[in-house]
């Protein structure tokens, strides 16, 4: 599945290697990829795969390829190569509510709907995080629960230092937590997995729960 994702990214990027990448992606897709899940970034991928594991599911083994777009604005290129004019495989996805317009516009452009509402997007398997994945997870766990996860990661001191910064001092703790997770490269993905692993499965954020059920 990692090879398939790499080939798909190279194909979507275009350029000199796109043709060869498309052949590799088609060949690997024929070997057992049944659904492609398009997500904004690696933290979304990690969260979905971690939640699946908690339910005893291995998405890759089940033929579900979770593919980070490297940003919501890249959705068009990936729909071109994954959608009806490309691989023609069933699709699903996850994005922040602020990026809804990009997903809706390009899904309609490639023929996967028209006049799509949020309910229409969900029916297609595309779900929206309010405001983003970190916000959803913080609400699900609560600020105290998230701080317990930060403590378990050995990052209580860095978080307190972050809280003391002039721009953060008067912010709600939920805002501080959300911003803290984005301060270092890789921290979003680290906490995406850690927070999902600490979730009460009765309180899974709706977008993640619905997306996993769809695939």
């Amino acid at each position: 599945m990692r090879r398939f994702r790499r080939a798909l990214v190279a194909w979507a990027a275009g350029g000199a290697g796109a043709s060869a990448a498309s052949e590799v992606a088609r060949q690997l897709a024929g070997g057992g990829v049944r659904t492609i899940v398009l997500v904004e970034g690696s933290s979304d991928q990690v969260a979905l795969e971690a939640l699946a594991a908690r339910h005893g599911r291995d998405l890759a083994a089940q033929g579900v390829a979770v593919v980070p777009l490297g940003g919501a604005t890249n959705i068009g290129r990936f729909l071109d190569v994954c959608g009806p004019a490309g691989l023609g495989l069933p699709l699903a996805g996850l994005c922040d509510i602020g990026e809804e317009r990009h997903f809706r516009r390009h899904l309609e452009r490639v023929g996967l709907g028209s006049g799509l509402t949020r309910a229409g997007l969900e029916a297609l398997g595309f779900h929206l995080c309010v405001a983003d994945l970190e916000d959803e997870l913080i609400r699900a766990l609560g600020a105290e629960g998230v701080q317990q996860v930060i403590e378990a990661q050995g990052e209580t001191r860095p978080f307190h230092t972050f809280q003391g910064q002039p721009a953060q001092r008067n912010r709600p703790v939920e805002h501080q937590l959300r911003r803290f997770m984005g301060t270092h490269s890789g921290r979003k993905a680290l906490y995406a997995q850690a927070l999902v692993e600490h979730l009460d499965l009765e309180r899974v954020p709706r977008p993640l729960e619905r997306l996993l059920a769809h695939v």
Side-chain angles (χ1 to χ4, degrees), residues 23-96:
E23 291 303 315
V24 173
R26 290 180 189 278
Q27 181 181 10
L28 293 172
V33 178
R34 64 173 181 82
T35 302
I36 299 174
V37 181
L38 301 172
V39 299
E40 287 194 49
S42 59
S43 60
D44 305 284
Q45 175 191 353
V46 167
L48 184 62
E49 291 176 343
L51 182 60
R54 290 201 60 190
H55 285 281
R57 296 182 58 187
D58 181 337
L59 294 182
Q62 294 173 355
V64 179
V66 186
V67 180
L69 302 173
T73 56
N74 293 324
I75 182 65
R77 289 186 291 172
F78 279 86
L79 286 176
D80 287 339
V81 302
C82 299
L87 295 175
L89 287 169
L91 301 174
L94 186 73
C95 72
D96 300 344

Side-chain angles (χ1 to χ4, degrees), residues 6-25 81:
R6 287 197 299 268
L8 203 62
V9 168
W11 183 9
S19 178
S22 73
E23 291 303 315
V24 173
V81 302

Side-chain angles (χ1 to χ4, degrees), residues 104-115:
R104 181 192 294 118
R105 176 165 62 88
H106 286 290
L107 285 165
E108 292 177 353
R109 178 181 60 79
V110 300
L112 293 175
S114 63

